[in-house]
Amino acid sequence: MLYIGLFALSASSFYENAISQLKKIEKLKQSGLIEEDLNRIEFVKTWDKDRLVGRTRYCLQNGGVVMGMMLIVPMSFIALLITSISGTFPSMNADVMFLLLLFPLCYTAGALIYLMRWNNKERKFKKLTGESYLAG
C-alpha cells in the first residue's frame, strides 16, 4: 500500500509540474517568447551568479570534491567487478592502496571535467550577453 501511495503522490506531482509547464509556455507565447528564450534567460541568471566564485574554486571545489567523490563509487564497483570476474581478489592492503590512488585520480578527473564545463559555460554566457568571448 505504501508503494501505491508513493506512486500516486509522484504521479500527481508529475502531472502538476506538466500543467504548470504548459501554462508557462502559453504565457511565453502571449509575450512573444519561446521556451528556448526562457532557458537562455535562466542560464544567464544562474551562471552570472555561479561564476562569481572564480574558475579555480569552481573547478577544485565543485569538480574535484563533488564530481571526484561521485566518480569514486562507480570506479570502485568497476574494480570490484573486474577482480571478481578474474577471480583474483586482492588483499586488504591492496584495496587500501587502490583507494588511496583512486582519490587523487578521481579528484583530478572531476576538476578537469569542471574546467571543460567552465569554459563551455563561459563561452555560452559571453555569446548570450554579447561580451567578446575571444578577449578572455
Side-chain angles (χ1 to χ4, degrees), residues 3 11-12 23 27 44 51 60-61 70 77-78 86 92 97 103-104 111 118 125 130:
Y3 293 120
S12 67
K23 287 179 182 178
K27 190 182 268 188
V44 168
R51 71 195 284 239
L60 295 180
Q61 284 182 345
M70 288 171 44
F77 283 126
I78 290 170
S86 68
M92 189 60 132
M97 290 305 293
F103 276 106
W118 172 277
F125 176 80

Side-chain angles (χ1 to χ4, degrees), residues 18-94:
I19 294 297
S20 68
Q21 186 70 16
L22 288 174
K23 287 179 182 178
K24 189 186 294 185
I25 291 170
E26 275 301 313
K27 190 182 268 188
L28 285 172
K29 285 181 182 177
Q30 291 173 356
S31 65
L33 297 173
I34 59 174
E35 189 175 1
E36 191 174 317
D37 294 332
L38 183 65
N39 291 339
R40 289 179 185 142
I41 291 168
E42 282 297 315
F43 171 78
V44 168
K45 284 181 184 177
T46 56
W47 184 243
D48 191 37
K49 186 182 74 168
D50 291 347
R51 71 195 284 239
L52 293 176
V53 297
R55 181 188 345 207
T56 304
R57 182 173 281 173
Y58 177 79
C59 293
L60 295 180
Q61 284 182 345
N62 296 353
V65 175
V66 177
M67 181 74 160
M69 294 306 115
M70 288 171 44
L71 287 173
I72 286 177
V73 174
M75 294 296 286
S76 299
F77 283 126
I78 290 170
L80 179 66
L81 184 65
I82 289 171
T83 57
S84 66
I85 288 174
S86 68
T88 57
F89 287 102
S91 67
M92 189 60 132
N93 273 347

